[in-house]
Amino acid sequence: MRLYEEEARWSILRSEMRTYTQLLASAHRDELVQMIPDYYNYIGDYCFKNNGKIKEVLLPLGCKIIGREAFSGCQFRKSVSFPETMIEIKSGAFSGNHQLQKAEFPASLAKIREQCYKDCNNLRLVRFPAGSSCTEIPDGAFEGCTHLNKLILPEEIKVIGSRAFYKCKELKVVHFPETLLRIGDRAFYFCGMEELNLPGNLQELGAGAFFKCNSLKKVTIPKGVKKIGEKAFHGCNRLELLEILHDPEEIGPSLVNRNCMVRCHKGSKVDSYCEASELKREYV
């Protein structure tokens, strides 16, 4: 219901005079640098979609919302500078930008939507600033950003969605804020993390959350985690030790490869799980 209401409001905003539309954009389609007048507060859906000629965009100083796939398939040579009035970036807004190297967001940005930077395969840096209003990285937001190697998450983040950083294979270091509650299915599938420090307030790890993270060697699951999805650490071929010193309410099948040692308490639920799954155990 809430999403429906948000989309209804966006439909109203898109029809108002301060929305820069596809029709307006078509008159400047051949310009390398797009300078959108400060009169406009909203960039409409699909505005510059698949316009490979654009190399740079200068957003209005009062810009608040960038619409669905507004710059999808464009090839910006520089990072896009967002004004401090920005509150939302809609789904797929910058997806498929193969030249874009940085995404640095203002503190005012409260929401990014699904797949907003999907397949930006030259993106190296994603930074949310101190005081960021954003609390969620949605499904597929940075999926396929294969060269992403520096990530600074929002300080108050609560959820990292499914496939959010799927196949970001150069992502080696991630600092998770203590506010984080849930990591979604395949969120960090085939990423390059060399160590993993999960926050104490974490409650849920989705299915395949760290599947095929082949640089991991040791992982400790915080005591607050209630649910661990299937294959959460499966395929992590170098993972030597997984430590679980409490009894989660749910542990999915094929948690780790059989060559991984699971450290747990003798007689615990985790111990029984390992017995049934034929996993090696080390007792505390």
Side-chain angles (χ1 to χ4, degrees):
M1 186 63 180
R2 184 178 176 183
L3 180 60
Y4 174 81
E5 290 172 351
E6 288 177 355
E7 290 306 311
R9 284 196 294 270
W10 175 230
S11 293
I12 294 170
L13 289 173
R14 280 187 300 164
S15 63
E16 73 125 74
M17 294 294 292
R18 288 181 176 265
T19 298
Y20 198 79
T21 64
Q22 280 183 288
L23 183 61
L24 290 167
S26 65
H28 304 278
R29 189 163 182 83
D30 293 330
E31 297 176 11
L32 297 180
V33 179
Q34 297 290 329
M35 183 179 292
I36 301 174
D38 287 340
Y39 171 81
Y40 298 98
N41 287 338
Y42 313 107
I43 310 300
D45 294 348
Y46 318 113
C47 208
F48 294 95
K49 183 177 180 179
N50 292 331
N51 186 344
K53 294 182 180 180
I54 300 178
K55 304 302 180 186
E56 184 178 356
V57 63
L58 301 175
L59 295 172
L61 292 177
C63 190
K64 296 179 180 179
I65 298 176
I66 296 177
R68 297 181 192 86
E69 300 182 42
F71 299 104
S72 175
C74 296
Q75 303 304 325
F76 297 125
R77 291 176 300 194
K78 299 181 179 181
S79 62
V80 176
S81 180
F82 297 106
E84 291 295 332
T85 52
M86 184 67 59
I87 58 173
E88 184 174 358
I89 299 174
K90 294 285 186 181
S91 59
F94 293 95
S95 60
N97 269 264
H98 302 307
Q99 301 299 319
L100 192 63
Q101 293 192 26
K102 294 191 294 184
E104 298 187 88
F105 303 112
S108 60
L109 184 68
K111 293 180 181 178
I112 59 174
R113 297 295 188 179
E114 295 81 1
Q115 301 180 348
C116 55
Y117 283 83
K118 181 182 178 182
D119 293 333
C120 291
N121 53 17
N122 207 32
L123 192 70
R124 310 299 174 98
L125 168 67
V126 171
R127 186 196 307 271
F128 290 85
S132 174
S133 301
C134 192
T135 59
E136 179 177 357
I137 306 297
D139 296 353
F142 300 96
E143 177 178 344
C145 294
T146 53
H147 284 89
L148 178 63
N149 57 40
K150 187 169 184 180
L151 170 65
I152 300 175
L153 291 166
E155 293 174 336
E156 300 296 323
I157 191 170
K158 291 180 172 59
V159 176
I160 295 176
S162 298
R163 299 172 70 102
F165 298 97
Y166 185 89
K167 290 190 176 181
C168 294
K169 59 185 181 181
E170 292 189 11
L171 187 58
K172 295 182 178 180
V173 178
V174 180
H175 171 69
F176 295 104
E178 284 298 315
T179 54
L180 184 63
L181 301 176
R182 179 164 61 87
I183 297 176
D185 297 351
R186 300 177 296 283
F188 292 93
Y189 179 108
F190 200 33
C191 287
M193 278 90 79
E194 296 174 346
E195 60 181 57
L196 191 59
N197 296 306
L198 296 171
N201 290 319
L202 189 67
Q203 296 178 3
E204 182 178 340
L205 280 171
F210 295 93
F211 190 93
K212 286 191 176 180
C213 290
N214 287 322
S215 294
L216 287 176
K217 293 184 178 180
K218 179 184 177 181
V219 174
T220 297
I221 304 296
K223 292 183 179 180
V225 173
K226 299 175 182 178
K227 179 180 178 181
I228 306 174
E230 67 173 313
K231 297 185 178 180
F233 296 94
H234 196 77
C236 299
N237 295 326
R238 296 181 185 175
L239 188 61
E240 299 171 356
L241 179 64
L242 178 66
E243 184 174 88
I244 311 176
L245 300 182
H246 71 294
D247 281 338
E249 294 174 5
E250 181 181 337
I251 305 176
S254 303
L255 177 61
V256 291
N257 292 2
R258 288 186 178 178
N259 63 328
C260 179
M261 179 73 71
V262 178
R263 181 181 289 163
C264 62
H265 290 291
K266 186 176 179 63
S268 65
K269 183 178 178 180
V270 176
D271 187 15
S272 299
Y273 173 90
C274 292
E275 177 71 25
S277 303
E278 299 181 352
L279 296 175
K280 297 186 295 184
R281 283 151 289 171
E282 176 181 288
Y283 296 128
V284 175

